[in-house]
Amino acid sequence: MASPFFEYLREFMLSRRYAKRTIDTYLYWIRFFILFHDKRHPNQLGDTEVEQFLSYLSNQRHVAVKTQATALNSLSFLYRHIIQRPLSQDLHFNKSHTPQKLPVVLTRAEVQALLALVDLRYKLLAQLLYGSGLRLMEAIRLRVQDIDFDYLSVLIWQGKGNKNRRVTLAGELVPALHGQIHLVEQYYQQDKETADYAGVWLPHSLARKYPSAPGQLGWHYLFPSHQLSIDPESRLLRRHHLDETTLRRAIKCAARNAKIRKNVTCHTLRHSFATHLLEAGVDIRTVQEQLGHSDVKTTQIYTHVLKQGGNAVKSPLSLLLAGNFSQE
């Protein structure tokens, strides 16, 4: 049976339109914090205990900088909105300094081999991840009307950091996308015949502004779930988007079958998109815009991949074995 305290937390966040992922994340870190302090109620804890917990994450768990920041955000929410005793702005704890990892990048041949072996049900999604540099959830959450066939582009709404952007679309994907939209239309016609069908889910502000939009084809997900389900918040019958874990598994399986010995994830295709654009001579500012990075410094990580690759710096061993050295 769920704790009444955590049920209250969940209901509080749902009533304030927090995203489901945010709710799950905050609950995870709040639960972890309580367990760390021997199940004491947060009302009995404060700044000192939060500092101890955050230091523990850095010292013993060796979490990344972003992970520690997420834990702090979760506890800040807890003490500001639930306990109503905001944390100090001057907390002292050992901050994580995990070095930034270099992205895993596939060669063009590896991308080709992987895409050839992806389950056909997820191939178009995988091609969009690589061909347009999309994040996993950006691709999964695409709506039918987000594909601009006239300008060969994809519209990304409220991506990471709530940013909107327009990215390139490979013309070779147009026939497959038309086929996918036809599939959505079939689901759409079928769902309209279902008595309790309430249309597709929309963010709350859009649902208020466009009350008829949930019933329009253009707003429906481009990659829909294979079955209808009950919206946990509104309790209405809807067709949600495809479960992202199925795509993750498909990419892992394809990489394994292609015998790629790198740690391949969906995000690897986005890394490869950026690196291959830079290799082709595309300006870094253009790549930054395509990826939706706020700061070009974030995009520069891909130039490090290029500089540290085998084509940028000639190993002295290569010169030695080729006989290109002089006697001193």
Side-chain angles (χ1 to χ4, degrees):
M1 183 178 177
S3 159
F5 178 68
F6 281 97
E7 282 299 311
Y8 173 75
L9 289 178
R10 183 180 294 278
E11 290 299 323
F12 181 91
M13 288 186 274
L14 281 173
S15 68
R16 283 154 180 78
R17 312 302 189 191
Y18 281 67
K20 182 179 183 299
R21 286 173 176 272
T22 303
I23 294 174
D24 291 342
T25 299
Y26 279 17
L27 291 179
Y28 170 82
W29 286 111
I30 292 169
R31 182 176 287 107
F32 195 166
F33 174 67
I34 292 172
L35 291 174
F36 177 77
H37 287 293
D38 301 319
K39 299 185 179 180
R40 292 167 62 194
H41 195 283
N43 197 35
Q44 302 171 2
L45 309 172
D47 290 351
T48 301
E49 289 77 15
V50 169
E51 291 171 344
Q52 291 170 354
F53 177 65
L54 295 174
S55 294
Y56 161 77
L57 293 179
S58 175
N59 298 339
Q60 274 72 51
R61 297 295 291 260
H62 307 292
V63 301
V65 175
K66 289 184 179 179
T67 303
Q68 190 184 47
T70 301
L72 175 56
N73 289 340
S74 305
L75 298 178
S76 294
F77 157 81
L78 172 67
Y79 279 93
R80 177 176 296 278
H81 297 288
I82 306 300
I83 306 300
Q84 296 186 348
R85 193 175 69 240
L87 296 174
S88 168
Q89 296 294 314
D90 192 30
L91 292 175
H92 298 284
F93 57 92
N94 189 16
K95 294 181 172 60
S96 293
H97 294 288
T98 306
Q100 185 177 27
K101 295 180 181 178
L102 287 175
V104 175
V105 175
L106 302 179
T107 66
R108 287 180 173 81
E110 286 173 331
V111 173
Q112 188 174 33
L114 184 144
L115 293 178
L117 293 172
V118 171
D119 186 318
L120 288 177
R121 293 173 296 176
Y122 309 107
K123 185 170 184 177
L124 179 56
L125 265 166
Q127 289 173 321
L128 283 169
L129 293 180
Y130 173 67
S132 299
L134 303 184
R135 298 180 177 91
L136 169 62
M137 294 310 300
E138 289 174 347
I140 291 288
R141 289 171 177 160
L142 285 174
R143 313 269 179 161
V144 169
Q145 62 191 18
D146 293 338
I147 305 298
D148 188 335
F149 290 106
D150 295 326
Y151 288 94
L152 283 181
S153 57
V154 181
L155 304 175
I156 306 299
W157 302 99
Q158 294 183 318
K160 189 173 181 180
N162 266 340
K163 295 191 289 288
N164 305 326
R165 72 186 194 279
R166 181 186 291 267
V167 300
T168 187
L169 171 65
E172 292 77 6
L173 296 183
V174 168
L177 284 165
H178 279 303
Q180 183 64 28
I181 291 173
H182 179 65
L183 174 65
V184 177
E185 289 174 337
Q186 291 179 318
Y187 277 131
Y188 177 67
Q189 295 301 329
Q190 173 185 316
D191 293 341
K192 286 201 302 182
E193 301 300 320
T194 304
D196 296 330
Y197 183 63
V200 71
W201 177 86
L202 287 182
H204 306 286
S205 56
L206 281 175
R208 287 194 300 271
K209 187 174 183 180
Y210 305 110
S212 64
Q216 297 173 5
L217 174 65
W219 286 99
H220 280 65
Y221 288 112
L222 182 60
F223 298 99
S225 170
H226 301 306
Q227 59 187 13
L228 295 171
S229 58
I230 298 295
D231 184 335
E233 181 180 341
S234 65
R235 311 308 299 172
L236 296 175
L237 185 66
R238 303 189 187 279
R239 188 178 296 276
H240 203 48
H241 57 62
L242 196 70
D243 185 345
E244 65 273 15
T245 58
T246 59
L247 179 57
R248 287 197 183 104
R249 285 196 295 265
I251 295 295
K252 283 287 187 184
C253 182
R256 189 165 54 248
N257 292 337
K259 296 181 170 53
I260 298 173
R261 302 191 177 203
K262 297 174 181 176
N263 183 26
V264 179
T265 66
C266 293
H267 216 68
T268 303
L269 293 173
R270 175 174 160 88
H271 292 324
S272 302
F273 162 85
T275 304
H276 295 169
L277 283 183
L278 291 170
E279 284 180 341
V282 176
D283 179 76
I284 192 169
R285 294 286 182 180
T286 302
V287 178
Q288 175 193 356
E289 291 173 1
Q290 290 284 312
L291 294 174
H293 290 162
S294 299
D295 193 332
V296 74
K297 291 179 181 178
T298 308
T299 315
Q300 284 174 341
I301 188 67
Y302 300 108
T303 64
H304 299 162
V305 174
L306 296 179
K307 289 176 182 176
Q308 294 178 18
N311 295 328
V313 179
K314 203 71 172 178
S315 166
L317 178 62
S318 298
L319 298 175
L320 182 68
L321 295 177
N324 296 330
F325 64 94
S326 58
Q327 298 284 347
E328 291 186 2

